[in-house]
Amino acid sequence: MPLEQTLSIIKPDATRRNITGEIIARLEKAGLRVVAQRRMLLSTAQAEAFYNVHKARPFFRNLVEFMTSGPVVVQVLEGENAIAKNREVMGATDPSKADAGTIRKDFAESIEANSVHGSDAPETAKNEIRFFFSDLDICG
Ligand code: ATP
Ligand code: MG
């Protein structure tokens, strides 16, 4: 299995409830390693740019508002099959459809305030990591 890196975001609903540690523990227990991490408040322009792929969707405006409503923790996760592994640990976008034991099943508040983001493919992982981090920030 390939050693991969993926971008993870712990979203404002989770930082607000002070459960970033519990979420990181789930990631680590799944074999993912945090190789870069920063807590930050996204600007509207940053959130719009990050979610540009969704700009035509009806939920886009609310999503940008939510993602800028409080601090996020952006992370680079590394591990074997890290992109798919992280998506597996996260669970489905809609927490009511997420499998038992996943982060979203156990922590998400709604389909929007769903606690975590994870890159969905190698190309998006590369671009999303570059959006937030330079090589100097990442220590594997
Ligand atoms: P993410 O990209 O955050 O890892 P995802 O890939 O599971 O999640 P996407 O379809 O890429 O889901 O949607 C991006 C984000 O937009 C979701 O995580 C969620 O916060 C929000 N979102 C998606 N669908 C809806 C919806 N129907 N209503 C409200 N918000 C939504
Ligand atoms: Mg997505």
Side-chain angles (χ1 to χ4, degrees), residues 24 41 87 93 104:
I24 294 165
L41 189 59
R87 300 281 298 184
T93 310
R104 282 167 167 170

Side-chain angles (χ1 to χ4, degrees), residues 17-121:
R17 285 175 288 154
N18 204 24
I19 56 171
T20 60
E22 286 185 71
I23 290 173
I24 294 165
R26 299 282 186 105
L27 302 172
E28 291 183 340
K29 279 190 190 115
L32 296 163
R33 186 177 296 270
V34 179
V35 297
Q37 179 166 270
R38 178 168 71 250
R39 184 175 170 108
M40 64 186 291
L41 189 59
L42 290 175
S43 68
T44 298
Q46 284 171 323
E48 285 172 351
F50 184 78
Y51 281 118
N52 187 49
V53 60
H54 293 310
K55 72 167 178 287
R57 308 284 286 277
F59 58 79
F60 179 71
R61 225 44 274 165
N62 284 343
L63 177 60
V64 168
E65 257 177 51
F66 163 62
M67 289 299 289
T68 57
S69 68
V72 297
V73 176
V74 294
Q75 315 172 296
V76 179
L77 305 178
E78 187 178 86
E80 285 184 5
N81 246 347
I83 297 166
K85 171 76 65 67
N86 184 39
R87 300 281 298 184
E88 202 182 299
V89 180
M90 288 162 58
T93 310
D94 180 349
S96 71
K97 298 191 177 125
D99 288 340
T102 60
I103 291 170
R104 282 167 167 170
K105 182 70 174 184
D106 292 343
F107 298 118
E109 295 182 322
S110 67
I111 191 171
E112 177 184 78
N114 59 4
S115 303
V116 282
H117 162 86
S119 308
D120 57 14

Side-chain angles (χ1 to χ4, degrees), residues 38 42 45-47 49-50 126-133:
R38 178 168 71 250
L42 290 175
Q46 284 171 323
F50 184 78
K126 188 163 162 272
N127 294 336
E128 290 179 0
I129 289 169
R130 195 49 65 228
F131 187 91
F132 287 110
F133 295 101

